[in-house]
Amino acid sequence: MNASNSFPRRKIFGRVSIISGNTAQIAGLAAACAALALAQSAHSKLAAIVAMLAAWTLLYFFCHGIAHWAVGRILGIRFAFYTVGGTEHPEGYPIGLRWVFEHLPFFGVQTEKASMQKASPKAKAIMWSAGVTSSAVVPTLSTFYAWKAGIPGSKPFLVFAVFWAIGTLASNWRSPTGDYSKARHALHSS
């Protein structure tokens, strides 16, 4: 059985406007920053660890879609709306987490067809690469910051975050429908 057919298509829970999607994602990113600040100033070890984990989780969920949008807009690509739904790549997650990630609310962005037709292959590839790259890099940077700030539990969590980021990048790189595949396709279709 083909790997791309062995998992169901992404479960879409709904769609939101670009303004609403950006507002929600910016709020999620701001909440992550607040959680990281809380972790740094927490008076108990448990509160610091919970806040650090919350910051990482919020960054993981809220930086992907808006990275596509921000980079795409810089490169002249326009977008129609966001979708909200489970991951498109459940096979990239460990077996026990696949069902969970199929049902968590990831933001996906829908490009405007005419805009994508006008965009250069390089612009398309950069825009497609921005989402998954940010999903790996941004949360990992938060754990590096937590470690440098001396937040309890941050050193082992940094190790976990680095391995999670490597797994995120590797699984997306191998996925026939992932963002990196879309980027490679954009470059080769020129």
Side-chain angles (χ1 to χ4, degrees):
M1 183 182 286
N2 183 328
S4 64
N5 294 330
S6 61
F7 293 98
R9 297 283 305 153
R10 180 175 184 233
K11 291 176 175 48
I12 303 293
F13 312 135
R15 68 166 59 170
V16 296
S17 70
I18 294 296
I19 291 172
S20 296
N22 285 347
T23 301
Q25 291 173 95
I26 290 167
L29 295 172
C33 292
L36 201 51
L38 179 63
Q40 197 170 2
S41 64
H43 296 296
S44 80
K45 183 177 180 178
L46 179 60
I49 291 170
V50 169
M52 175 183 62
L53 295 173
W56 182 86
T57 302
L58 288 164
L59 290 171
Y60 187 76
F61 282 99
F62 289 111
C63 70
H64 185 105
I66 202 162
H68 282 306
W69 176 83
V71 170
R73 289 303 298 137
I74 290 168
L75 297 172
I77 297 170
R78 292 184 315 277
F79 299 88
F81 55 86
Y82 281 104
T83 58
V84 180
T87 182
E88 191 171 11
H89 315 289
E91 70 278 8
Y93 294 96
I95 290 173
L97 292 177
R98 287 180 184 168
W99 184 90
V100 173
F101 279 85
E102 285 179 310
H103 294 85
L104 289 173
F106 288 97
F107 280 86
V109 70
Q110 179 64 48
T111 59
E112 288 184 358
K113 187 176 180 177
S115 178
M116 283 296 277
Q117 289 172 340
K118 292 178 188 175
S120 73
K122 187 175 180 180
K124 292 177 195 175
I126 292 169
M127 184 275 297
W128 285 124
S129 297
V132 71
T133 302
S134 72
S135 290
V137 172
V138 173
T140 305
L141 287 176
S142 77
T143 59
F144 179 75
Y145 173 83
W147 173 62
K148 293 300 276 181
I151 295 171
S154 59
K155 188 174 184 178
F157 190 60
L158 175 58
V159 172
F160 164 82
V162 167
F163 280 104
W164 186 273
I166 291 168
T168 296
L169 295 172
S171 69
N172 193 280
W173 186 262
R174 292 187 318 267
S175 172
T177 59
D179 287 344
Y180 287 148
S181 177
K182 293 172 187 174
R184 289 190 299 270
H185 178 74
L187 289 174
H188 293 115
S189 65
S190 55

